[in-house]
Amino acid sequence: MQEFRRMSRLPPYVFATVNKIKMDARHRGDDIVDLGMGNPDIPTPRHIVEKLVEAAEKGQNHRYSASMGITKLRQAICDWYKRRFDVDLDPDEEAIVTIGAKEGLAHLVLATISPGDVVFAPNPTYPIHPYSAIIAGGDVRSIPIGPDRDFFEDLLSATKQTWPNPRMLIISYPHNPTTAVVDLHFFEKIVEFCREHEIMVIHDFAYADLVFDGYEPPSFLQVPGAKEIGVELFSLSKSYSMAGWRVGFCVGNPALVSALRRIKSYLDYGVFQPIQIAAIIALNGPYDCVEEIVEIYRERRDVLVDGLNRVGWAIEKPKGTMFVWARIPEPYRAMGSVEFSKMLIEKARVAVSPGIGFGEYGDEHVRFALVENPHRIRQAVRGIKQIL
């Protein structure tokens, strides 16, 4: 077969290398504590599951749905934004249901980015953020992020060095994988900068609820003028532990929402309707189930970070996400994140994600996903202690 040019622009999936070693170890009978993939293990709250079952029993819900999402769910999305962030949204023009945040983001970029357009994305970051632009035929310019970087200085420098002018900026806070969080002033500066330079903004808000220690994450859309240039995506995967259900939404700029609606009308018939009905119950229902899920992740975070600090791996507690982003201990840093991750599997019986899988600026780090119970996390810490 001839080469597929679009596929040739996508690098080999780094995580596959580590996953193979993990699976080989398990086939040998090794008990591997898997803190690699961020796949939530907490069951979906019972009242949401019961609504799904009830809706699935009705034959009319088995037909094709609407690619933009059913009306009552789009209204629930807008009501949720009003309650949470005091942001007003039009359910017909400024909200669309997506098959998770990942699908919505990828198809929005495909609808709005042309070959040769430049897209800015942080580095390191969640892979679909830069590679959605690559799939669409665009070019990606990485903006390094980290505690020793000034994001806006790097953003300005990249803008001055880019021709043609950049078309889009993709950001996400609380951030995967670095767990970085921001305040509303950060988004105010983003809106000011991107309006001045005519840059579209996509903010991936997937971890809006998974925050700790009193931190309250702002919505990008709370900034006056944000809707003029950008959209925000949210997923029920983490907040309501509905990862496999694949339901989320995109809200904000009417032109961008319209572009996503139009391309989705060609590509899909929307989320299975009983899932959409259950999502209405989730968004309109009690918030205590989300608080319980957040508390589970907080406990796991504390067990992992406190344990690693005790055995000599100094890490600060993140204020958001379901991850811990850890700089590789100095004696092993030169190995790089892939070789260090392999060593953790083989010698500590612990699987993590190598930082380079999120971009070259992540190669001195690994990411722990908080997807095992405290007992298993303590087991992981004991294994790591043997190495350190």
Side-chain angles (χ1 to χ4, degrees), residues 31-290:
D31 180 17
I32 305 297
V33 181
D34 191 354
L35 304 176
M37 183 179 177
N39 192 0
D41 64 314
I42 304 167
T44 305
R46 191 69 217 161
H47 69 286
I48 302 172
V49 176
E50 289 172 352
K51 191 64 180 181
L52 170 72
V53 173
E54 176 190 320
E57 292 285 355
K58 298 177 180 178
Q60 68 265 31
N61 289 329
H62 298 183
R63 305 177 69 186
Y64 290 130
S65 186
S67 60
M68 66 183 294
I70 60 177
T71 302
K72 288 185 178 180
L73 179 52
R74 286 183 281 111
Q75 185 61 60
I77 289 164
C78 296
D79 293 343
W80 183 85
Y81 254 89
K82 182 63 176 178
R83 291 194 308 271
R84 290 289 305 276
F85 305 108
D86 196 26
V87 171
D88 292 305
L89 293 164
D90 181 337
D92 294 322
E93 303 294 330
E94 298 176 334
I96 182 171
V97 178
T98 61
I99 308 173
K102 188 175 184 179
E103 175 272 327
L105 188 149
H107 281 150
L108 177 57
V109 174
L110 185 62
T112 56
I113 293 300
S114 301
D117 284 348
V118 176
V119 174
F120 286 166
N123 187 332
T125 199
Y126 187 51
I128 195 60
H129 295 166
Y131 289 110
S132 60
I134 296 296
I135 292 169
D139 295 320
V140 176
R141 180 72 183 271
S142 293
I143 310 296
I145 59 171
D148 57 342
R149 310 289 309 202
D150 184 314
F151 183 79
F152 289 97
E153 281 188 10
D154 290 332
L155 187 60
L156 179 60
S157 176
T159 302
K160 288 180 176 178
Q161 296 172 28
T162 299
W163 182 261
N165 291 333
R167 289 275 291 160
M168 179 178 284
L169 169 67
I170 302 175
I171 52 177
S172 178
Y173 293 98
H175 186 253
N176 175 17
T178 69
T179 74
V181 295
V182 297
D183 56 17
L184 189 61
H185 181 59
F186 178 90
F187 286 140
E188 289 171 347
K189 292 173 69 176
I190 289 287
V191 171
E192 179 184 7
F193 183 92
C194 291
R195 288 178 74 178
E196 178 184 350
H197 294 277
E198 299 182 341
I199 299 172
M200 297 179 286
V201 178
I202 297 178
H203 179 232
D204 184 349
F205 205 19
Y207 297 93
D209 290 309
L210 264 58
V211 292
F212 318 107
D213 306 334
Y215 170 70
E216 295 186 7
S219 163
F220 165 75
L221 296 178
Q222 286 177 277
V223 179
K227 259 199 285 187
E228 297 174 18
I229 58 166
V231 292
E232 192 159 70
L233 290 114
F234 178 80
S235 166
L236 279 72
S237 296
K238 313 307 188 300
S239 302
Y240 297 91
S241 210
M242 295 168 65
W245 299 49
R246 308 314 303 134
V247 60
F249 51 81
C250 174
V251 294
N253 180 268
L256 291 174
V257 169
S258 176
L260 180 55
R261 182 190 306 122
R262 187 170 182 185
I263 196 170
K264 282 175 64 64
S265 71
Y266 284 92
L267 293 172
D268 69 72
Y269 283 106
V271 177
F272 183 44
Q273 192 149 297
I275 292 176
Q276 295 192 57
I277 294 169
I280 296 170
I281 297 302
L283 293 174
N284 287 341
Y287 193 70
D288 56 351
C289 62
V290 177

